[in-house]
């Protein structure tokens, strides 16, 4: 829900010396995204997509760094970032399983997917497995209703899910620590 | 009424095994970009007139005439922007995704035509964040288009260079509302703006901006190729042309199907979607959940832009039909719909933020067996007081929520009333649960 204020204490993380906005990210934004818009602020969403892709979540320090980079105040950046559901402020497991819960998926049995996930991995929506491998989330319509029930695993859409098959697919994914990009899933 | 075959889906066969992605070369080989070439030899005013004459209405939900929208641009204000609405977050809607999955260049050609007609300097394709695959497809298609001079060139007879970029959203339904989309494009939270000023005068970056849906723009190449009169041979007098219908829910063969506007819903379900699955037809949502529900006796409703007036729903919306069979618990389904709106309300206007949340609470307690006799009337009353149409909110999100609730209550009252009990009957279990 876009307007729920995140608990700032929970979001607290110690600062680190190494910047989140690496030279690579800054370079990509300056080269690719700044020329597209009349001002720097408009590059905020592309910038945070890059950060999400790199780290899998958004650290408070990244917000401060982005503010300096985009010539905005930290509160302006915070205001925008906390609005969007895809920009997560907390760390997740390596694979984020976004199960769609909207009407077509509920009609076609998204509950059975969640039940199977609970049975196999012992997690409810919002929780992460103990080995930090899988985070389960329920999301609103993924725009793939003809493939209901469907889920987005990191950046890949899985449609016409058969719960048991889907869970065994997830089990077979490599469990190396850290955040993954879509390249590992394929 | 003369629909001779697919127009928008002409490159996408029915058989899933034969479907493939059309890259630039394939697109050219099947007659692509011929319409753009034709347009570039015309006067921009004539292109706008052609679109006005075709009667093309916006495919994104509101059904506003596309050509008329274009004429709202102030004469001498530049630069002008085009925002392509590919946010497609309405539950039950997936037609644009399906189209772009296979034929991204049909959209790019449409954008190029619209950009030329309106002397647009930059077009932004606002795509929802969850469409990772489609964003990559469009980026690749755009690279091809730039390479072949579709974009990055001056519009003939002007000094305006035409650009086109992909801009990804990040998971917010409200960014599909046109001014919410513009805020998001500017790197802000997607709170809809108060109108006026209308986007045509002061839109993206406070410059004149047109916002069109993907499917609307994808209609343009065909209109240019065959003419306005041809386009009007399809559909009904007030709703011309072909339309993509997405059918999902309890049907045997869910998917995206193209037909002319005005087709009966029963035909769509039986001829194209393989009939109702797991039981008999009970209810259907004609075009995304915000449009309300069609009752059991409205199975033969004609799907066109007049549907709202004729069948007591909000409108055709995005034509994402969601079918429910006779074993469906409609109260649970309405709770699902209302939860969606409560979750996606941006929180800017109090009636919507509070109203959708309360509707969700009330429906939750009805589903859980703690519904109270006054709940039915309370839901109905909430519907009357929130939304842009009673004039208490900025955008139409709350209208979507209250039309869904209103039509469910009107068309299936017994489903709700049979679950409401007095406090005494509930006994101890109901005490304290309000």
């Amino acid at each position: 829900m876009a307007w729920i204020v995140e608990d700032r204490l929970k979001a607290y993380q110690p600062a680190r010396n190494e910047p989140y906005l690496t030279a690579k990210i800054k370079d990509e934004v300056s080269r690719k995204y700044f020329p597209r818009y009349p001002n720097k602020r408009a590059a905020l969403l592309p910038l945070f997509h890059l950060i999400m892709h790199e780290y899998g979540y958004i650290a408070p320090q990244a917000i401060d760094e982005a503010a300096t980079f985009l010539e905005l105040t930290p509160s302006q950046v915070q205001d925008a970032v906390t609005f969007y559901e895809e920009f997560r402020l907390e760390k997740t497991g390596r694979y984020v399983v976004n199960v769609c819960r909207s009407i077509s998926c509920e009609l076609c049995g998204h509950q059975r997917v969640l039940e199977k996930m609970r049975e196999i991995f012992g997690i409810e929506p919002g929780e992460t497995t103990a080995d930090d491998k899988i985070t389960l989330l329920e999301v609103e319509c993924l725009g793939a209703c003809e493939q209901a029930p469907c889920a987005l695993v990191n950046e890949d859409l899985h449609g016409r899910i058969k719960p048991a098959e889907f869970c065994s697919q997830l089990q077979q994914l490599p469990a190396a620590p850290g955040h993954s990009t879509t390249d590992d899933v394929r | 009424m003369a629909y001779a075959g697919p127009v928008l889906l002409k490159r996408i066969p029915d058989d899933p095994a034969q479907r493939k992605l059309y890259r630039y070369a394939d697109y050219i080989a099947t007659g692509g970009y011929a319409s753009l070439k034709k347009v570039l030899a015309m006067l921009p005013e004539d292109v706008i007139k052609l679109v006005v004459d075709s009667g093309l209405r916006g495919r994104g939900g509101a059904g506003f005439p596309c050509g008329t929208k274009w004429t709202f641009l102030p004469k001498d204000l530049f630069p002008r922007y085009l925002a392509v609405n590919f946010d497609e977050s309405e539950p039950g809607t997936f037609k644009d995704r399906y189209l772009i999955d296979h034929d991204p260049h049909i959209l790019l050609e449409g954008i190029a035509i619209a950009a030329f007609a309106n002397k647009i300097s930059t077009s932004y394709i606002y795509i929802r964040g969850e469409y990772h695959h489609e964003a990559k497809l469009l980026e690749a298609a755009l690279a091809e288009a730039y390479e072949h001079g579709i974009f990055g060139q001056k519009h003939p007879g002007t000094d305006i260079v035409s650009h086109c970029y992909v801009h990804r959203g990040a998971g917010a339904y409200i960014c599909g509302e046109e001014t919410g989309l513009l805020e998001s494009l500017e790197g802000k939270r997607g709170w809809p703006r108060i109108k006026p000023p209308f986007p045509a005068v002061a839109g993206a970056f406070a410059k004149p901006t047109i916002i069109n849906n993907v499917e609307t723009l994808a209609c343009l190449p065909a209109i240019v190729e065959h003419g306005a009169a041809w386009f009007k041979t399809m559909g009904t007098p007030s709703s011309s042309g072909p339309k993509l219908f997405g059918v999902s829910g309890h049907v045997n063969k869910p998917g995206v199907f193209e037909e002319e506007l005005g087709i009966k819903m029963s035909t769509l379900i039986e001829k194209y979607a393989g009939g109702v699955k797991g039981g008999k037809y009970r209810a259907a949502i004609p075009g995304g959940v915000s449009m309300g529900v069609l009752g059991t006796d409205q199975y033969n409703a004609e799907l066109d832009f007049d549907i709202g007036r004729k069948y007591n729903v909000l409108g055709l919306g995005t034509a994402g039909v969601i079918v429910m069979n006779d074993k469906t618990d409609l109260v649970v389904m309405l709770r699902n719909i209302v939860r969606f709106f409560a979750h996606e309300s941006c929180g800017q206007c109090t009636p919507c933020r509070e109203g959708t949340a309360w509707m969700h609470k009330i429906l939750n307690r009805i589903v859980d067996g703690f519904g109270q006799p006054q709940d039915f009337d309370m839901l109905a009353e909430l519907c009357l007081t929130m939304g842009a149409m009673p004039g208490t909110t900025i955008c139409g999100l709350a209208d979507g929520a209250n039309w869904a609730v209103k039509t469910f209550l009107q068309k299936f009252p017994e489903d709700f009333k049979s679950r409401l009990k007095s406090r005494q009957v509930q006994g101890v279990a109901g005490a304290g649960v309000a």
Side-chain angles (χ1 to χ4, degrees):
Chain A
M1 226 171 295
W3 37 272
I4 279 188
V5 180
E6 292 288 329
D7 185 341
R8 292 289 291 156
L9 284 175
K10 214 163 82 185
Y12 176 78
Q13 276 163 24
R16 68 177 210 186
N17 291 328
E18 190 193 337
Y20 282 90
L21 264 63
T22 56
K24 190 178 141 228
I25 292 179
K26 282 186 177 173
D27 179 59
E28 182 164 356
V29 174
S30 314
R31 203 167 31 77
K32 192 170 162 192
Y33 292 109
F34 282 162
R36 295 185 176 187
Y37 308 102
N39 59 34
K40 284 187 171 183
R41 185 175 193 167
L44 189 142
L45 262 70
L47 169 64
F48 278 95
H49 275 300
L50 289 175
I51 296 175
M52 279 300 296
H53 189 77
E54 189 74 23
Y55 303 100
Y57 80 111
I58 289 160
Q61 190 182 335
I63 290 179
D64 293 347
E65 288 173 18
T68 315
F69 182 57
L70 298 175
E71 294 163 17
L72 300 170
T73 63
S75 62
Q76 282 173 318
V77 179
Q78 177 97 1
D79 179 67
V81 168
T82 52
F83 183 81
Y84 297 99
E85 211 161 296
E86 261 186 53
F87 297 148
R88 288 184 296 269
L89 301 178
E90 281 162 49
K91 284 187 185 173
T92 55
R94 178 168 179 176
Y95 304 101
V96 181
V97 181
N98 298 287
V99 178
C100 175
R101 65 178 184 184
S102 283
I103 184 160
S104 295
C105 284
E106 180 159 356
L107 284 168
C108 298
H110 91 297
Q111 275 300 341
R112 287 198 292 276
V113 182
L114 295 178
E115 278 160 23
K116 200 76 192 170
M117 293 281 291
R118 184 185 304 135
E119 183 192 319
I120 305 274
F121 299 104
I123 47 174
E124 300 282 340
E127 293 178 350
T128 304
T129 52
D131 59 355
D132 275 342
K133 185 179 167 187
I134 292 170
T135 298
L136 175 62
L137 294 175
E138 265 187 303
V139 294
E140 296 297 349
C141 192
L142 290 172
C145 313
E146 88 275 33
Q147 302 173 30
C150 60
L152 199 62
V153 180
N154 286 357
E155 298 181 1
D156 288 317
L157 183 71
H158 293 243
R160 298 187 184 90
I161 289 179
K162 298 191 176 66
E165 226 170 82
F166 179 63
C167 286
S168 73
Q169 270 176 12
L170 290 175
Q171 278 175 320
Q172 281 158 19
L173 291 171
H179 159 68
S180 80
T181 59
T182 185
D183 318 324
D184 316 330
V185 181
R186 289 215 172 106
Chain B
M1 289 278 219
Y3 175 75
V7 177
L8 298 160
L9 298 184
K10 65 179 177 186
R11 293 184 182 84
I12 312 177
D14 285 338
D15 178 12
Q18 287 177 18
R19 291 179 198 150
K20 62 161 192 168
L21 171 66
Y22 275 71
R23 295 186 186 283
Y24 184 82
D26 310 317
Y27 187 70
I28 287 282
T30 47
Y33 290 117
S35 299
L36 179 63
K37 203 177 273 178
K38 199 169 156 189
V39 159
L40 295 181
M42 291 165 73
L43 287 172
E45 302 81 68
D46 294 343
V47 183
I48 296 176
K49 189 171 175 299
L50 178 72
V51 176
V52 172
D53 290 345
S54 73
L56 172 66
R57 291 173 68 169
R59 267 39 174 171
F64 195 82
C66 174
T68 313
K69 198 184 236 182
W70 291 1
T71 59
F72 292 158
L73 285 172
K75 286 266 173 299
D76 305 310
L77 271 179
F78 293 94
R80 293 168 173 177
Y81 295 111
L82 170 66
V84 183
N85 193 340
F86 191 9
D87 196 55
E88 201 173 49
S89 307
E90 178 90 23
T93 311
F94 46 96
K95 61 185 177 70
D96 297 342
R97 195 203 89 243
Y98 179 78
L99 182 65
I100 300 303
D101 263 347
H102 302 97
D103 196 3
H105 282 284
I106 197 170
L107 170 63
L108 300 188
E109 185 172 6
I111 293 173
I113 292 169
F116 169 77
N118 297 297
K119 304 191 180 107
I120 303 278
S121 46
T122 309
S123 310
Y124 296 104
I125 306 174
Y126 188 97
I127 179 169
R128 63 180 301 198
E130 289 85 347
Y131 284 178
H132 296 275
H133 179 61
E134 288 69 23
K136 284 172 201 154
L137 284 182
L138 279 173
E139 290 272 8
L142 270 173
E144 289 177 329
Y146 265 92
E147 200 181 301
H148 292 90
I150 308 296
F151 297 106
Q153 308 283 332
K154 282 180 187 168
H155 291 308
T158 69
D159 276 336
I160 300 166
V161 181
S162 170
H163 285 288
C164 183
Y165 304 116
V166 174
H167 183 94
R168 289 182 57 212
Y173 170 68
I174 196 62
C175 294
E177 200 277 342
E178 56 178 15
T179 54
L181 184 150
L182 296 177
E183 288 285 302
S184 182
L185 182 63
E186 293 179 9
K188 302 169 189 165
R189 58 168 49 210
W191 273 9
R193 298 172 183 171
I194 293 172
K195 293 182 262 191
F198 289 92
V201 180
F205 311 105
K207 301 289 183 218
T209 304
I210 294 172
I211 300 136
N212 280 146
N213 179 260
V214 167
E215 191 189 338
T216 316
L217 291 167
C219 287
L220 296 178
I223 293 175
V224 171
E225 189 184 343
H226 302 289
W230 166 84
F231 196 75
K232 281 194 148 171
T233 59
M234 289 175 279
T236 67
S238 63
S239 320
S240 55
K243 178 86 188 77
L244 298 181
F245 295 94
V247 188
S248 63
H250 288 151
V251 288
N252 288 311
K253 204 173 136 263
V256 177
F257 310 101
E258 186 180 336
E259 248 295 348
E260 61 183 340
L261 281 160
I263 182 187
K264 283 194 167 75
M265 190 172 71
S266 50
T267 316
L268 187 68
I269 293 172
E270 279 157 26
K271 184 173 160 196
Y272 291 93
V276 179
K277 188 168 77 177
K280 285 208 296 274
Y281 166 83
R282 174 99 196 276
I285 286 159
V289 293
S290 61
M291 293 299 130
V293 70
L294 290 169
T296 313
D297 56 343
Q298 296 173 328
Y299 186 44
N300 289 316
E302 299 91 7
L303 299 169
D304 57 36
F305 290 112
D306 295 327
I307 189 172
R309 200 163 35 78
K310 285 192 278 190
Y311 295 99
N312 185 25
V313 288
L314 184 52
L316 182 64
T318 55
V321 179
I322 305 166
V323 182
M324 290 173 257
N325 66 22
D326 56 355
K327 296 183 186 90
T328 314
D329 186 340
L330 294 180
V331 185
V332 172
M333 287 307 130
L334 182 62
R335 176 178 70 166
N336 183 307
I337 293 170
V338 168
R339 189 211 43 223
F340 173 81
F341 287 110
H343 182 263
E344 296 294 344
S345 171
C346 77
Q348 190 175 196
C349 311
T350 310
C352 171
R353 181 186 65 230
E354 300 297 319
T356 51
W358 272 103
M359 279 178 172
H360 185 214
K361 270 184 198 176
I362 293 170
L363 281 160
N364 255 336
R365 73 182 176 213
I366 297 177
V367 171
D368 292 343
F370 299 123
Q372 292 155 19
Q374 68 271 31
D375 282 351
F376 189 88
D377 295 332
M378 202 190 288
L379 280 174
E381 191 187 327
L382 273 170
C383 293
L384 293 174
T385 53
M386 55 189 252
M389 282 189 253
T392 57
T393 59
I394 292 171
C395 84
L397 188 141
D399 296 299
N402 69 36
W403 271 86
V405 173
K406 190 158 55 184
T407 50
F408 266 95
L409 294 184
Q410 282 164 357
K411 292 171 187 178
F412 301 98
E414 281 318 307
D415 286 59
F416 293 84
K417 285 184 173 161
S418 63
R419 292 166 85 145
L420 304 173
K421 300 173 200 147
S422 71
R423 269 170 193 275
Q424 278 161 341
V425 179
Q426 285 171 13
V428 183
V433 182

